[in-house]
Amino acid sequence: MNDHLVQFYEDDVFLIKGLSDYIGDALERGDKGIAIATSGHLDMLHESLHARGLVDAQGRSAEGNYLALQADHVLPMFMDNGLPDERRFRNAIGNVIRQASERHQGRVCVFGEMVAILCASSHCSLNAVGKHDAAIRVERFFNNLQRQFDFELLCAYPLNAFPAATDAPMFGEVCTLHTHVLPAESYDPSASVQTLQRTIAALQQQAYSLSTEVHDRRLIEQALREVNIDRLTGLPNRNVFQDRLEMDIKKAHRSGLPLALLFIDLDHFKEINDTLGHQVGDMLLKQVGQRLQNYVRESDTVARLGGDEFTITLSELHNVDTVTDVAQKIRNDLAKPFLLGNELAYISASIGITLYPRDAQTAGELLRNADQAMYQSKDNGRNRFTYFTASMQEAAQARMAISNELRRAIDEDQLAVYFQPIIDMKNGHIRKAEALVRWLHPLRGAVSPVDFIPIAEHTGQIVMIGNWVFRQALAYVRRWRRFDQQLTVNINVSPAQFYHTNGENCRHWLSDLSFDPNGATGPPEVGIEITEGLLLASNSVVMKQLLAFQQAGITISLDDFGTGYSSLSYLRKFNLDYLKIDKSFVYNLEHDAANVALCEAIIVMAHKLGLKVIAEGVETAQQYEMLRRAGCDYGQGFLFGEPLPPDQFEALLQERPMLSA
C-alpha cells in the first residue's frame, strides 16, 4: 500500500522545514519530487533546496526530477461550480502523477498543501460544502489515484484549520483518510503564555481526535485483516497476493528488474488429514507458512491461496540465480520432519517457477504458468521444482484440444469397448475379462487411453464415459453368459465416479444389475476395479458405496497393486476380493529374482488375507509357469490375448473350452 501522510503545523517556519526535508531527501535519493503549494511557500522551498545544491536559483533540478505546481493556479483547474470535481482533478493533477510514475524508475514523492489550495478565497468560493468537506473530497481523490499509481503523498494542514471542539469529527475523518499522522512540532519554550496556552489547546484537540481515530482505525484494520489475511496461517490470502503481484509487475516494468513467482503445493497432504486428522493438518499448514517466510526478504510476498497451496513472489531480482537457491532451500526445509503435537510428520513439496517478463506479462498468465510448472513437478515424481517452459503451455493447449474433441467423441460414437481375457492359471480357461475403453478418432486414429483418460478424469467427462462403458459391458456379458454362466467382466471405476453427485451413478449401476432380462443365475455379471488412490481417499462417501457393491455380491479388485501407497490396514479395512499384481513386477520375471520374490510374497500375503490374485502383463510361457507354481489364481496379458473388439472376443470364447456352470 502506498504511504499517504498528513503533517500538522502551526507556522510557516516549521512547514518549510518539513517540506524541504521531505522533497529534499527524495531528490537526494534520486526519486521524483512534486510540490503543490502556494507561490510564497514554493519560493521559500526553492531557497532551501538551492542552499542544499538540489535546484538552481530558478528552482529547477539538473536531472529534471523536481516539479513545482502553484496551488493558486492548479485550484481553478479542478473546481466545478465551487466544488472539487474528480474528473477534472485527474486531468489537472492525476495526469502529472501518472506521467511521473511511468517515466521515473524510482519513487514518486508528492507534497500537497491541501488546505492552502482549498482556502484560496481569491480564486474560488467553496459553495455550500465548506472548506473541510472540500478538503476531504480531494483527499479521497488522492487515495483513488494511489490505487492506480505508485507514489507517496504528504499533505500539510495548519493546526488552526480545526479551531473548534465541534471540528473533532471532521479532524478525525481527515486523519482516517491517511495511512500515517505525523505529530505537529509546535512547542516553543520561549513563547508567550498566550502562545503556549494556544499550543496546549491545539495539542489537546489533536490528542482527542487521534484517540478517536486510533479506535476507528483498529476496527478498520481488524476488518481488513479478516478480508485479506488467511486466518489459519496469518499470511496474505489470494486477494492480497493478486494485488501485490500486480504492484510488483509495475515495479519490475519501471526498474527493468525481473520478478519470480513460485507456486508451492504440498505432496500427499491429504494423507496427513486422513491419518492424523484435520486439526493436525492445520498445525502443519501453520508451520509450513512459518518456514516459507524464512527464505524471503521484507519486499517479497508469501501467501496462502487455499488448501495446501502457497505462493512466493520474489521481486526486483538483480540475479535470477537466487531463485533456484531459494527453491532448493524451501524444498530441503519442507522435507525435514514437522513436530505436530506428539506426532512427527514428513511431507515434501512440488514447486513451479515462472519469471516476469520472460514468461508472461500479466498476473493471470504468471499464475497459470507457475501452476503448470508445479504440476510438471508432480508428474516428474514430486519433491522437486520446475521452471515454466513454452512447451508446457503447448501441452496444456493440446490437453484442452483433446478435451474438446473428447466431448464430440462421446456424441459421435467414436468410443468403443474392448475386452481382454483373464484366465484361470490352473487350467487356462477364460473366466473373466476386463472392459477397456478405446477411442478411434477419425483423423488421429487410435488415441491411447494414457493420453485421454487423465484428461477425462480432470474435466469430469470420465463419469459419462464410465457409465457408457458400464452399460456396454453389462449388455455384452449378459449375451456371453450363454457360453458360461460364471463369466464376469471387470470395469475400471475412477475415483471421480464415486464423488460425482455423491455416487448417484453407482447407485444406478446397482439398479441395472439387480434385473437381468434373461433371468440368468450365478454371480453378478460385472466386477469393479479400483485404484490405491481411492483407498487413500477413504471418506464416508467412498466407504458407503464400496459397502453397497460388496453387499450386492459384486467383486472388488485392487488394480496395479504394489505401485502406490497401500498398506495392510487398507486391505483389511475394505474387504477386497482380488489383488492385481502390477505388470511392472511380472515384466522380465524369468530373469529377475527380486521380482520373483515380490510376486511370491504378494501371493502368499493375499491368500492369508482371503484374497485371490490376478497377475497383469503375462507375456511368456515362462512367466505363466512361474506364477502358476507360486499359486497365482488368474492371469492377464498378451500371452492369453490382447484387448479385442466384442465380436472377436466372442469368437475367442467360442473357440476355447469353457467350464460348465
Side-chain angles (χ1 to χ4, degrees):
M1 183 175 180
N2 297 320
D3 283 336
H4 185 179
L5 313 173
V6 61
Q7 173 74 74
F8 295 94
Y9 66 93
E10 186 171 6
D11 52 46
D12 286 354
V13 174
F14 175 68
L15 170 67
I16 299 304
K17 180 182 181 303
L19 177 55
S20 176
D21 289 343
Y22 181 73
I23 296 294
D25 291 349
L27 298 181
E28 286 181 344
R29 292 193 307 267
D31 292 335
K32 179 83 173 183
I34 301 175
I36 310 172
T38 61
S39 55
H41 287 160
L42 287 176
D43 290 341
M44 288 188 281
L45 171 62
H46 294 162
E47 289 180 11
S48 176
L49 295 178
H50 180 57
R52 295 172 63 173
L54 298 174
V55 301
D56 60 18
Q58 285 72 41
R60 295 179 302 227
S61 67
E63 294 79 9
N65 58 348
Y66 171 66
L67 177 63
L69 300 177
Q70 290 189 13
D72 334 51
H73 298 160
V74 172
L75 175 64
M77 297 173 66
F78 64 81
M79 300 297 290
D80 184 18
N81 294 325
L83 291 173
D85 179 78
E86 186 166 15
R87 181 181 62 81
R88 295 189 175 191
F89 179 82
R90 286 179 171 274
N91 291 333
I93 295 179
N95 283 338
V96 174
I97 294 174
R98 177 182 60 80
Q99 293 174 5
S101 63
E102 290 177 351
R103 296 175 183 175
H104 191 74
Q105 291 188 354
R107 298 283 295 169
V108 176
C109 301
V110 181
F111 169 83
E113 195 180 357
M114 303 310 304
V115 172
I117 295 174
L118 295 169
C119 294
S121 56
S122 60
H123 294 283
C124 72
S125 63
L126 292 175
N127 206 336
V129 299
K131 63 184 180 180
H132 293 153
D133 288 319
I136 287 172
R137 287 190 182 205
V138 175
E139 295 286 14
R140 288 176 178 151
F141 296 167
F142 268 116
N143 282 341
N144 291 338
L145 282 181
Q146 285 193 310
R147 294 187 181 97
Q148 279 190 284
F149 310 118
D150 191 12
F151 69 96
E152 293 183 0
L153 176 65
L154 171 62
C155 297
Y157 286 82
L159 281 172
N160 59 17
F162 307 94
T166 55
D167 294 328
M170 188 69 68
F171 180 86
E173 187 168 359
V174 167
C175 294
T176 302
L177 289 170
H178 297 78
T179 57
H180 300 287
V181 179
L182 304 179
E185 301 176 13
S186 58
Y187 176 67
D188 182 3
S190 62
S192 64
V193 173
Q194 290 80 8
T195 300
L196 290 175
Q197 288 175 339
R198 188 171 67 252
T199 300
I200 291 171
L203 292 174
Q204 288 175 335
Q205 168 198 313
Q206 184 176 347
Y208 171 78
S209 299
L210 283 175
S211 66
T212 304
E213 188 264 345
V214 165
H215 174 72
D216 294 341
R217 198 171 190 76
R218 284 176 178 168
L219 295 179
I220 294 171
E221 288 176 350
Q222 181 179 349
L224 287 175
R225 279 196 299 271
E226 292 178 356
V227 172
N228 297 322
I229 300 300
D230 176 57
R231 291 187 177 184
L232 179 62
T233 62
L235 296 174
N237 63 11
R238 183 182 288 270
N239 295 333
V240 177
F241 158 75
Q242 192 74 25
D243 291 341
R244 292 188 183 177
L245 181 57
E246 296 276 5
M247 187 177 296
D248 286 339
I249 289 174
K250 291 179 181 178
K251 290 180 181 178
H253 178 70
R254 286 196 303 267
S255 66
L257 296 174
L259 72 86
L261 174 62
L262 283 68
F263 195 111
I264 303 164
D265 185 274
L266 305 184
D267 299 328
H268 305 302
F269 173 71
K270 190 177 186 306
E271 295 175 29
I272 300 294
N273 276 342
D274 290 344
T275 57
L276 301 180
H278 288 273
Q279 187 173 5
V280 175
D282 288 347
M283 293 171 60
L284 175 62
L285 292 173
K286 290 180 183 178
Q287 292 187 29
V288 168
Q290 293 167 0
R291 292 192 188 185
L292 292 179
Q293 292 181 89
N294 293 332
Y295 298 103
V296 299
R297 303 161 298 180
E298 290 186 2
S299 59
D300 300 325
T301 301
V302 179
R304 181 186 177 218
L305 299 190
D308 59 347
E309 295 178 341
F310 296 82
T311 57
I312 294 179
T313 307
L314 305 175
S315 62
E316 296 184 298
L317 295 168
H318 292 276
N319 182 1
V320 293
D321 290 340
T322 59
V323 180
T324 297
D325 296 336
V326 171
Q328 186 63 54
K329 290 176 181 177
I330 290 173
R331 191 179 73 89
N332 293 340
D333 197 9
L334 294 183
K336 296 177 182 177
F338 289 81
L339 181 59
L340 308 174
N342 297 324
E343 300 283 350
L344 269 182
Y346 293 84
I347 62 166
S348 59
S350 296
I351 305 173
I353 305 171
T354 189
L355 299 174
Y356 171 91
R358 186 194 72 181
D359 299 331
Q361 300 296 314
T362 67
E365 291 173 341
L366 286 172
L367 186 58
R368 180 201 64 199
N369 292 350
D371 186 50
Q372 289 179 1
M374 182 274 293
Y375 275 107
Q376 189 63 50
S377 292
K378 295 276 190 189
D379 292 341
N380 291 342
R382 296 182 169 85
N383 190 25
R384 65 194 65 232
F385 59 88
T386 304
Y387 280 87
F388 172 81
T389 62
S391 62
M392 294 179 189
Q393 179 63 14
E394 294 170 1
Q397 291 172 345
R399 289 193 295 270
M400 183 176 295
I402 290 179
S403 175
N404 293 334
E405 293 182 13
L406 188 56
R407 296 179 193 279
R408 292 194 294 271
I410 298 171
D411 297 334
E412 298 174 4
D413 296 327
Q414 297 175 18
L415 300 182
V417 179
Y418 281 40
F419 298 87
Q420 185 173 27
I422 300 174
I423 62 99
D424 188 325
M425 296 287 277
K426 294 179 181 177
N427 51 36
H429 294 311
I430 299 174
R431 301 313 307 243
K432 302 177 183 295
E434 181 177 358
L436 300 166
V437 65
R438 293 294 184 260
W439 182 6
L440 306 177
H441 193 281
L443 298 177
R444 297 173 182 260
V447 182
S448 171
V450 175
D451 293 331
F452 73 86
I453 290 296
I455 296 174
E457 289 183 322
H458 181 71
T459 60
Q461 294 168 312
I462 194 66
V463 175
M464 184 183 300
I465 294 173
N467 289 339
W468 179 82
V469 170
F470 169 79
R471 291 192 296 271
Q472 291 286 310
L474 183 59
Y476 280 115
V477 72
R478 283 178 172 171
R479 172 178 168 179
W480 296 332
R481 277 276 177 116
R482 70 177 187 267
F483 303 117
D484 181 2
Q485 292 185 6
Q486 304 298 315
L487 183 68
T488 301
V489 172
N490 287 348
I491 299 170
N492 291 289
V493 184
S494 165
Q497 294 171 263
F498 280 95
Y499 300 133
H500 181 68
T501 61
N502 287 329
E504 185 66 29
N505 56 304
C506 293
R507 284 190 284 275
H508 288 316
W509 290 12
L510 293 174
S511 298
D512 292 342
L513 287 167
S514 64
F515 172 70
D516 184 351
N518 300 321
T521 60
E525 298 98 333
V526 299
I528 63 171
E529 294 189 8
I530 63 175
T531 62
E532 297 183 4
L534 184 65
L535 297 188
L536 292 174
S538 55
N539 57 33
S540 58
V541 173
V542 174
M543 293 284 288
K544 184 176 181 181
Q545 292 174 80
L546 288 177
L547 181 60
F549 280 123
Q550 291 167 347
Q551 290 174 342
I554 296 170
T555 59
I556 301 176
S557 302
L558 181 60
D559 201 6
D560 301 330
F561 181 77
T563 62
Y565 299 90
S566 289
S567 65
L568 292 177
S569 62
Y570 282 115
L571 300 182
R572 296 177 61 191
K573 178 179 180 181
F574 285 93
N575 192 26
L576 302 169
D577 299 288
Y578 296 91
L579 289 187
K580 297 191 75 174
I581 301 176
D582 185 71
K583 59 186 177 182
S584 62
F585 297 108
V586 177
Y587 175 75
N588 206 30
L589 187 66
E590 58 270 48
H591 306 294
D592 191 331
N595 276 358
V596 173
L598 284 170
C599 288
E600 290 176 345
I602 292 172
I603 293 168
V604 170
M605 174 197 70
H607 287 169
K608 286 185 177 296
L609 292 173
L611 302 168
K612 293 187 177 181
V613 180
I614 303 171
E616 297 180 289
V618 182
E619 297 182 355
T620 68
Q622 283 182 285
Q623 293 170 358
Y624 165 74
E625 185 60 26
M626 294 175 73
L627 289 165
R628 187 188 64 79
R629 288 201 305 266
C632 185
D633 302 287
Y634 297 94
Q636 179 179 355
F638 286 173
L639 178 65
F640 315 118
E642 62 185 45
L644 298 171
D647 56 342
Q648 295 183 31
F649 183 79
E650 182 172 324
L652 184 65
L653 284 177
Q654 292 175 315
E655 291 172 5
R656 295 198 175 189
M658 291 292 171
L659 294 176
S660 58

